[in-house]
Amino acid sequence: MDIRRITSLEAVMAAGHLFDDLPREDATRAFLADDRHHLLIAYVDGEPAGFVSGVETIHPDKGVEMFLYELGVDDAHRRRGIATALVERLIGLARDRGCTGVWTGTEKDNTAALATYRRAAAELDFDSVIVSWGF
């Protein structure tokens, strides 16, 4: 497995099957243009097998934190440690960039994600609630 930090539109589009929806060119260009946005793709035998994205957030009383925005592994490559390796690489990138921590959210019944986060030494908080507004 080879994990690469992605900086090109072409690499994102070639890994489009890993995302919930096909990547939009305009959003992808904007994401890649901001050095606080990070996309790591894991390759197996030269083919995209999984990804993790992270966004640095900053707040006056917290400094810079890394938000693990999304994690995905192709069905054919699951249960091989790819997700854990991607999360650990994003955590390392966050440390290298001076972030004070990494955080994310997931559903209580997402056993695969919770197992991955546990393997990456996460602290799980089951008392938090995610609130969202969709447009």
Side-chain angles (χ1 to χ4, degrees):
M1 172 181 33
D2 177 30
I3 297 176
R4 302 177 203 157
R5 180 152 185 234
I6 302 304
T7 59
S8 76
L9 174 68
E10 296 76 21
V12 175
M13 295 308 186
H17 68 283
L18 298 173
F19 295 85
D20 292 335
D21 297 303
L22 290 178
R24 295 180 11 207
E25 187 173 328
D26 59 335
T28 301
R29 286 186 191 283
F31 184 94
L32 296 174
D34 191 324
D35 70 344
R36 297 167 297 180
H37 297 171
H38 310 283
L39 179 61
L40 307 175
I41 296 181
Y43 293 85
V44 174
D45 297 327
E47 296 297 320
F51 82 97
V52 67
S53 60
V55 176
E56 293 177 40
T57 60
I58 189 165
H59 196 271
D61 69 333
K62 293 171 183 58
V64 179
E65 298 174 304
M66 181 72 74
F67 171 56
L68 189 160
Y69 195 98
E70 191 168 357
L71 173 66
V73 176
D74 185 79
D75 289 343
H77 295 283
R78 291 190 176 168
R79 302 186 57 82
R80 298 182 186 177
I82 293 171
T84 302
L86 284 163
V87 169
E88 289 173 344
R89 184 72 61 91
L90 185 67
I91 291 168
L93 177 64
R95 282 192 179 109
D96 292 347
R97 292 186 57 88
C99 294
T100 61
V102 178
W103 64 283
T104 194
T106 193
E107 301 81 12
K108 288 182 182 182
D109 63 350
N110 189 338
T111 55
L114 293 172
T116 295
Y117 300 145
R118 281 186 183 102
R119 281 191 296 276
E123 299 170 20
L124 302 180
D125 174 2
F126 289 104
D127 293 326
S128 295
V129 176
I130 297 174
V131 179
S132 65
W133 290 259
F135 302 109

